[in-house]
């Protein structure tokens, strides 16, 4: 699925930066304006809004204009997609280990019974 | 937690690349040698082993020498940490929405009852 793959590229790339992860964590507590989000960071506003742009392009946040402010919100579905991808890989590995253990246990029992 | 933050930086940066995500998916089906892993990719071996190095530095895979081969395996704990971080942010957001909905429902009922 090349499109899905492209989405994960943007998602994981967006989350690789500490400022952007901090924004995601801040937004998990509720929507906030750009200036509210920017205030904890000692960063020039243009650099900060570039980070927001990366998060928005990756679909991790959405924003809307409210009067003179821009309000940002988290998009939980993008987090869920990345979470599901990681969980699928992990479970596949763990299930395989479980099957291997079960197989070894059966073989050991067969050897004892012989 | 600066150390944990540094770990996520390596994890998400490693997963931002399509070749490295494909390696993680391949390894979810079981351990494999470097040459087995490299075979589906039309890439020079030094470039491919660089990708493996990024995954190993990020703790997503581990490798061990077996005779003349190097065998790679997935480290499910690194996947789980990233998965948990995403899940915490998403649940925090969803719980907040649930509380907001409950509050609005209570307020609407109070207005009706007045």
């Amino acid at each position: 699925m090349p499109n899905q793959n492209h989405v994960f590229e943007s998602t994981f790339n967006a989350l690789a930066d500490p400022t952007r992860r901090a924004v995601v964590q801040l937004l998990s507590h509720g929507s906030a304006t750009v200036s509210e989000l920017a205030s904890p960071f000692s960063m020039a506003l243009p650099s900060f809004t570039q980070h927001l742009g990366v998060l928005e392009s990756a679909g991790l946040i959405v924003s809307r204009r409210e009067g003179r402010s821009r309000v940002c919100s988290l998009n939980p579905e993008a987090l869920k997609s990345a979470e599901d991808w990681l969980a699928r890989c992990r479970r596949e590995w763990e299930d395989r280990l479980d099957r291997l253990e079960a197989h070894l246990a059966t073989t050991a029992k067969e050897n004892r019974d012989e």
Side-chain angles (χ1 to χ4, degrees), chain A residues 16 19 21 23 37 39 49 55 60 68 73 84 95 109 112:
Chain A
T19 301
R21 280 198 307 284
V23 169
L37 285 173
S39 68
T49 53
L55 286 167
L60 284 160
R68 295 176 68 184
S73 307
D84 287 348
D95 290 351
K109 189 179 179 304
R112 276 199 308 274

Side-chain angles (χ1 to χ4, degrees), chain A residues 6-24:
Chain A
H6 180 72
V7 168
F8 287 135
E9 189 142 355
S10 320
T11 309
F12 290 128
N13 178 54
L15 293 172
D17 179 89
T19 301
R20 296 195 290 260
R21 280 198 307 284
V23 169
V24 168

Side-chain angles (χ1 to χ4, degrees), chain A residues 28-102:
Chain A
S28 72
H29 302 292
S31 302
T33 64
V34 172
S35 46
E36 283 166 348
L37 285 173
S39 68
F41 301 93
S42 51
M43 191 183 287
L45 195 62
S47 307
F48 187 76
T49 53
Q50 270 191 344
H51 281 304
L52 294 183
V54 174
L55 286 167
E56 194 158 11
S57 298
L60 284 160
I61 69 170
V62 289
S63 75
R64 63 183 191 280
R65 193 152 277 290
E66 271 191 17
R68 295 176 68 184
S69 302
R70 178 161 290 280
V71 177
C72 300
S73 307
L74 209 58
N75 175 17
E77 286 170 26
L79 293 171
K80 185 77 171 69
S81 297
E83 204 183 309
D84 287 348
W85 186 86
L86 292 163
R88 271 199 304 278
C89 292
R90 183 177 57 81
R91 286 199 201 115
E92 183 76 42
W93 170 265
E94 288 171 348
D95 290 351
R96 203 195 130 273
L97 277 198
D98 289 346
R99 286 195 300 274
L100 192 64
E101 272 179 24

